[in-house]
Amino acid sequence: MAALIDGPRLEPRGGAARRLVVFLHGYGADGNDLIEIGRAWQALLPNTAFVSPNAPEPCGGAPMGRQWFALTFRDPDERWRGVNAAAPILNAFLDAELARHRLPPSALALVGFSQGTMMALHVGLRRATAPAAIVGYSGLFVLPDNVAPAVVAGEITSRPPVLLIHGDRDDLIPVQALFQATEALAALDVPTEWHISPGIGHGIDQEGLRHGGEFLARRRF
C-alpha cells in the first residue's frame, strides 16, 4: 500500500477550484519550500487550488528535510529506480487531491524543482489522462543509464506541454541537463519549451517565476 503524503495548501481566493497545481519540492526541502509560489501566481491563475506535498521519506542528507528518493551519487541507475518507486505514492496523492476538489484529471498541472522536476516529468508523462501542463525548474528527465529515449517510449501515455527552466550557473544540476531533457522529450514527441535564467544557480529567479506562471495561464485549463 502506498505511503500517504500531505502538505500545505492554498485554496482559491474565491469560489470552488477549477484547476489544481501541485508543487513537487527538491531533495532535502519540504512542501513549505514551494507553496509561496502559489501566492505569487494567484492573480494569474484565479480559481486555482495549490498544494505542495511533503515527499514520503526523511532525507538522509538533510535530516530536517524530505526526499522523493535517496541519492548517493554513486549508482548511475538510482534516479531511475527512485522515480519508479515513488511514482505510485505521488499518483495516489494526485488522484485523491483531484477527487477532493471534484476535478477531472485534465485540470491538473505539475510544477517541480530539482528532484521534484524528475518526479513531475516521470509521473506526468505516464498518467492515463494528460495533465494540462508540466513546469520543471532546475531538474532533469530521468532515463535508465545509457539508454536512448526510445527505450521508454512504450511507457509514455500522455504528452502535456512542458516548460523547463534552468539557471546557467547551476553547479548542482548543470544547465546541460535542460538540453538533454529537451532532446529526449522531443524524441518522445512531448511538446517542450525552455528558458535559461542568466546568472542563476540552483534556484528560481523572478523571471523564471514569471515564465512558469504565464505558461500555466496560457493553458487555460
Side-chain angles (χ1 to χ4, degrees):
M1 183 175 179
L4 298 178
I5 57 175
D6 203 358
R9 292 177 173 81
L10 285 175
E11 299 297 332
R13 284 181 172 173
R18 292 189 216 161
R19 313 171 190 85
L20 174 66
V21 172
V22 179
F23 296 109
L24 305 176
H25 67 77
Y27 178 84
D30 62 24
N32 293 305
D33 191 53
L34 298 182
I35 193 64
E36 289 303 312
I37 297 176
R39 295 191 196 281
W41 287 350
Q42 278 183 320
L44 279 171
L45 299 169
N47 305 111
T48 299
F50 300 91
V51 61
S52 187
N54 302 307
E57 300 177 359
C59 182
M64 299 302 291
R66 309 291 295 179
Q67 64 186 25
W68 295 97
F69 52 88
L71 288 172
T72 67
F73 304 103
R74 295 189 297 268
D75 179 352
D77 261 333
E78 68 182 350
R79 289 191 182 105
W80 177 247
R81 287 197 301 273
V83 291
N84 279 285
I89 299 169
L90 178 55
N91 267 315
F93 175 82
L94 298 177
D95 292 341
E97 203 68 10
L98 287 164
R100 192 173 83 85
H101 290 287
R102 299 180 180 177
L103 291 172
S106 58
L108 170 70
L110 300 175
V111 179
F113 177 77
S114 194
Q115 194 179 69
T117 293
M118 302 177 207
M119 291 302 305
L121 291 170
H122 185 82
V123 167
L125 302 184
R126 292 164 173 82
R127 298 276 292 172
T129 299
I134 298 173
V135 177
Y137 291 97
S138 305
L140 52 81
F141 179 50
V142 178
L143 290 167
D145 188 42
N146 287 322
V147 304
V151 172
V152 302
E155 301 178 14
I156 305 304
T157 53
S158 70
R159 290 172 170 80
V162 172
L163 172 64
L164 299 177
I165 300 173
H166 218 110
D168 68 354
R169 301 291 179 87
D170 194 330
D171 58 0
L172 189 60
I173 300 179
V175 69
Q176 286 78 11
L178 178 146
F179 300 114
Q180 292 165 356
T182 55
E183 288 179 9
L185 292 169
L188 295 168
D189 297 319
V190 177
T192 306
E193 300 176 29
W194 53 272
H195 168 78
I196 294 176
S197 296
I200 301 300
H202 195 63
I204 306 172
D205 66 350
Q206 288 300 314
E207 191 71 359
L209 280 181
R210 181 181 69 80
H211 279 287
E214 291 178 354
F215 182 78
L216 294 182
R218 289 197 300 272
R219 307 281 79 79
R220 301 187 183 278
F221 64 106

